[in-house]
Each structure stands twice: as structure tokens, then as C-alpha cells.
């Protein structure tokens, strides 16, 4: 039995805490230490035209080269393990797997984001993703070996050797981030190794990754059936269980699933913690408790409120409509919401899940019109 805290949620342990800010100090300290090491090496060199340009170039080249090599290792080892690239995000360019191919689009809001995700080929839930998480480390070892080989092979006074070593040591900040065995804003490779050590957790990881792929393709979700959901990836499968219950109009079960998600909030990644509050707003609105829907939304954290009113997934749009039209009553937000909704539903192929969400969105639309005929709403195509 997981112990509860005073708010009725499972108590957190050290591995449940987001360590991003403390570790940022570690990463900055590493880069500063590397800078002083490079200055020491520069004193042994002759003929360096511009020390500042030299530092800048080695930093940029090292980061770019390490990023490419590290992720190439992940992709290669993922293929060996039976996984495929399902999603890639790099400085605003987003690639999503659709009809067997990666299709790219540009999103200015993701300009600073970088990410790479894999899903098991042929939706096989018994695959082990361990090699996927080890591939980058394997390639990084080879890359560092090349850097040290050039440094000692060409001599410590060689500009090329010194530049190669310092560039790759700057780039090591990427695998250093992936090596940290703590939760950060996103699950890194070492954290994933820890979180998928058990068979059920590996299965849950595969369900989550397959469903992320299906989200972009418009396909129906896989529904989990674990005896408990008290782990990082198992709790992430619960939203799919909730949605299946909602679509089947099993509202009592759906409410129970939301309670479980809220109770296991410690295991839910920060970028998905808004889910329970979002769907509670919808359920209150659905049952006619308009004041309750308003109260829940206004009482959630500001970051969650932003996620709720600026939807990303298809299932987010019906709740965003409630917030923008009923609570915020913001014409500009509504126009932007409908523009994005039309674009998304046009891109997604027809499926039972997509058609059900479109019907729920239309139901919210008609309910808002009925409750307040004077409320501004764009036309529902």
C-alpha cells in the first residue's frame, strides 16, 4: 500500500522529485570548468589567432557533433531492439510518424525544444527498449576515444588535437545530462533504464510510446490492464483507460480512473499532470455543474491553466473550448482555438476515436450556445 500525504496523494520519494534546477547548476559548473581547462590548454598552443572565436567554435562544433553522434547511436541501437523513430522535435521542426513515414511541420512555439521518441515496430508490447537507451552512450565512448586519440597522438601542443578534445568534452554535457539517474523535465536515458527494469513497466512504456504514435496518426489507443499503476510509465497509461471509459459513456468508472491519476500524481511527468484537472473540468461541465468546472479551473496551477487553454492533443480541444468560451470568454483565444482545431481535424484520418472526440467537441459547443445564446462562438464546420 502506497502511503498518502495530507492532500490524499501518494508520498514522493527522491526519484519522484524533478531535479532539473539543481542539476542545471551541475551542467553550468561543468561548462565553466571546461572553459578554464580550455584556457589552460590554450597556453600551450602557438599561433591561435582569436582565443574567443576558438572557444566559441569548439563549443558549437562539439555540441552539434555530439548531438548528432549520440542520437545516431540511439537510432541504430533502437532498430536492433525492434524500435522505430516515432517523433522528432528539433528547434521548431517537428517530425511525426504518419502512414509509415515521418512528416515534418514547423511550430514556432517549439523553437527551443529538442526531443526524439521511439515506438516498438508492429506494436509488439513485449519488446525491451534497453538497447535504445544504451545506444547513445556506446557511440559517445567511441567519439571520446577519437578525441583523446587525436589529442595524445598529435601532441598536446597541436591545435587540431587540442580543438578535437575540448570540442568533444564540451559536447559531453549531452551524455552527462542523459547519465543523471534523476527525474528531470523529460525522462533521460538513465532514468528510462531505471523506470523500465520490470516487465510490466516495459510493457507500459511500449503502450505509452505506441499511443503517442497513434495520437499523431489518429488511430485508436491501446487500453492498459495492469493490476496496479504505481510507477512512472504505468500511470501514464491511465489517461488512455479514462478516455476509453469516457467514449463508452462509463462515467462512474471514468471518475474513478481520474481519482487514481490524481492519487498517483507523483509518478506523472510534469508536462502531463494537467490531465486530471482538465478532464475534471469537462466532467463537471458535462453534468451541468458549471460553477464546479469554473472553480476547478481557477484553482489549478498557472502552468496547468495555460496547458488546458492552449490544447495540443485532440482530446484537449473540447476542454479548451469550455475554458475559452465559458470561463475566459476570450474572442481572440476562441478564434485561435477553432483555427487550430480545424487544422488538426483536417489532418487526422477518420477513426472511432477521432469521430468520438469531434462529437464531444460539438456537444460542448451546443451546450455553450444553449446556456448563453449571446456568447461569441466561431462557426462549427
Amino acid at each position: 500500500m502506497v502511503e498518502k500525504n495530507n492532500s490524499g496523494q501518494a508520498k514522493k520519494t527522491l526519484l519522484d522529485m524533478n531535479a532539473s534546477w539543481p542539476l542545471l547548476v551541475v551542467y553550468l559548473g561543468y561548462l565553466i570548468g571546461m572553459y578554464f581547462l580550455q584556457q589552460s590548454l590554450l597556453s600551450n598552443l602557438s599561433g591561435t589567432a582569436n582565443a574567443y572565436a576558438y572557444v566559441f567554435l569548439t563549443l558549437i562544433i562539439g555540441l552539434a557533433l555530439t548531438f548528432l553522434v549520440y542520437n545516431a547511436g540511439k537510432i541504430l541501437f533502437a532498430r536492433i531492439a525492434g524500435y522505430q523513430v516515432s517523433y522528432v522535435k528539433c528547434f521548431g521542426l517537428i517530425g511525426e510518424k504518419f502512414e509509415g513515414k515521418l512528416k515534418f511541420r514547423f511550430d514556432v512555439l517549439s523553437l527551443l525544444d529538442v526531443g526524439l521518441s521511439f515506438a516498438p515496430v508492429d506494436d509488439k508490447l513485449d519488446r525491451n527498449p534497453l538497447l535504445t537507451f544504451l545506444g547513445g552512450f556506446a557511440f559517445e565512448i567511441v567519439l571520446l576515444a577519437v578525441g583523446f586519440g587525436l589529442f595524445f597522438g598529435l601532441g598536446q601542443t597541436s591545435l587540431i588535437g587540442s580543438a578535437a578534445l575540448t570540442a568533444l568534452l564540451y559536447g559531453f554535457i549531452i551524455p552527462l545530462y542523459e547519465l543523471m539517474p534523476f527525474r528531470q523535465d523529460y525522462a533521460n536515458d538513465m532514468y528510462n533504464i531505471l523506470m523500465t527494469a520490470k516487465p510490466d513497466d516495459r510493457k507500459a512504456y511500449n503502450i505509452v510510446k505506441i499511443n503517442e504514435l497513434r495520437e499523431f496518426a489518429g488511430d485508436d489507443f491501446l487500453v492498459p490492464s495492469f493490476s496496479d499503476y504505481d510507477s512512472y510509465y504505468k500511470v501514464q497509461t491511465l489517461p488512455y483507460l479514462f478516455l476509453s471509459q469516457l467514449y463508452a459513456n462509463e462515467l462512474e468508472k471514468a471518475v474513478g480512473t481520474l481519482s487514481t491519476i490524481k492519487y498517483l500524481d507523483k509518478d506523472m511527468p510534469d508536462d502531463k499532470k494537467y490531465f486530471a484537472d482538465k478532464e475534471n473540468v469537462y466532467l463537471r461541465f458535462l453534468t451541468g455543474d458549471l460553477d464546479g468546472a469554473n472553480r476547478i479551473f481557477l484553482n489549478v496551477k498557472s502552468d496547468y491553466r495555460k496547458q488546458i487553454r492552449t490544447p495540443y492533443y485532440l482530446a484537449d480541444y473540447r476542454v479548451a473550448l469550455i475554458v475559452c468560451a465559458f470561463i475566459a470568454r476570450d474572442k481572440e483565444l476562441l478564434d485561435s482555438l477553432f483555427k487550430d482545431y480545424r487544422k488538426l481535424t483536417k489532418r487526422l484520418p477518420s477513426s472511432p476515436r477521432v469521430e468520438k472526440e469531434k462529437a464531444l467537441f460539438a456537444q460542448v459547443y451546443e451546450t455553450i450556445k444553449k446556456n448563453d445564446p449571446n456568447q461569441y462562438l466561431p462557426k462549427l464546420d
Side-chain angles (χ1 to χ4, degrees), residues 55-70:
V55 170
F56 178 77
L57 286 174
T58 52
L59 172 64
I60 297 302
I61 292 172
L63 290 173
L65 182 61
T66 303
F67 176 81
L68 292 173
V69 171
Y70 189 90

Side-chain angles (χ1 to χ4, degrees), residues 8 10 18 43 62 90 104 143 158 198 230 316 324 353 366:
N18 189 326
S43 64
C90 187
F104 289 89
L143 188 62
S158 166
K198 298 178 181 179
D230 186 20
D316 294 342
C324 295
R353 173 176 70 88
E366 294 301 328

Side-chain angles (χ1 to χ4, degrees), residues 4 11 24 33 116 125 159 170 199 238 244 261 296 366:
K4 294 183 180 181
K11 282 192 173 181
L24 180 61
L116 185 64
L125 297 181
L159 179 63
Y170 273 128
L238 279 173
S244 72
I261 293 174
I296 289 173
E366 294 301 328

Side-chain angles (χ1 to χ4, degrees), residues 305-347:
R305 289 202 298 270
K306 181 179 179 181
Q307 287 177 294
I308 292 171
R309 68 173 178 264
T310 53
Y312 181 71
Y313 301 109
L314 179 60
D316 294 342
Y317 277 85
R318 54 185 157 78
V319 188
L321 175 57
I322 295 170
V323 171
C324 295
F326 170 68
I327 298 176
R329 300 181 181 272
D330 190 309
K331 181 179 182 297
E332 186 176 339
L333 276 177
L334 280 167
D335 286 335
S336 177
L337 175 73
F338 273 76
K339 179 181 177 182
D340 292 342
Y341 178 73
R342 293 188 188 104
K343 188 186 301 183
L344 177 61
T345 52
K346 184 178 180 180
R347 184 166 60 91

